[in-house]
Amino acid sequence: QVQLVESGGGLVQAGGSLRLSCAPSRRTFSRYAMGWFRQAPGKEREFVATVDWSGGITYYADSVKGRFTISRDAAKNTVYLQMNSLKPEDTAVYYCAARSSTDIASMIRQYDYWGQGTQVTVSS
């Protein structure tokens, strides 16, 4: 069973920054597009950002555009989500996901592998 392992979550004040990381427990995802999603208490899981296999194409939810940056390091087989200017409404469990395609995608059903999630809490 392939697992994606997220790290980097925590508690931060509004206006602060965090960087999330995601790496597979086994195998390489170098030819896979990757995505970040989040789920706040009582809400459905929602799309945050996605990057294609090369790292050259990205796409963001409107709510995070200009504040979050998704990137990937092929040598480290790791995907990152840099989160700046955090707001209390960004509080959620953040999930990393991989899809068996090189192209970006924003829908949950388009992803094949998921991590367990990492908690991000932004205090006001």
Side-chain angles (χ1 to χ4, degrees):
Q1 184 77 12
V2 176
Q3 286 187 319
L4 295 171
V5 181
E6 302 102 332
S7 61
L11 173 64
V12 64
Q13 288 188 332
S17 298
L18 283 173
R19 188 178 78 160
L20 306 183
S21 300
C22 170
S25 58
R26 292 187 295 119
R27 80 185 290 175
T28 177
F29 282 87
S30 61
R31 297 287 297 180
Y32 286 55
M34 303 292 291
W36 286 96
F37 292 76
R38 67 186 181 186
Q39 187 167 16
K43 295 187 177 182
E44 294 185 350
R45 192 170 300 189
E46 64 176 7
F47 166 75
V48 175
T50 179
V51 60
D52 77 332
W53 73 278
S54 71
I57 300 174
T58 59
Y59 179 69
Y60 299 90
D62 287 343
S63 59
V64 307
K65 199 173 297 182
R67 299 188 298 123
F68 291 10
T69 302
I70 188 170
S71 62
R72 63 193 304 161
D73 185 330
K76 296 182 178 180
N77 200 27
T78 300
V79 175
Y80 303 98
L81 184 68
Q82 178 67 43
M83 305 185 295
N84 299 328
S85 303
L86 283 161
K87 305 175 182 180
E89 51 263 44
D90 294 318
T91 295
V93 177
Y94 282 70
Y95 298 90
C96 175
R99 66 186 303 252
S100 303
S101 169
T102 57
D103 299 328
I104 59 172
S106 61
M107 300 181 71
I108 292 173
R109 61 178 173 82
Q110 294 175 299
Y111 287 81
D112 304 295
Y113 302 96
W114 291 84
Q116 295 299 308
T118 184
Q119 177 70 47
V120 171
T121 303
V122 184
S123 63
S124 58

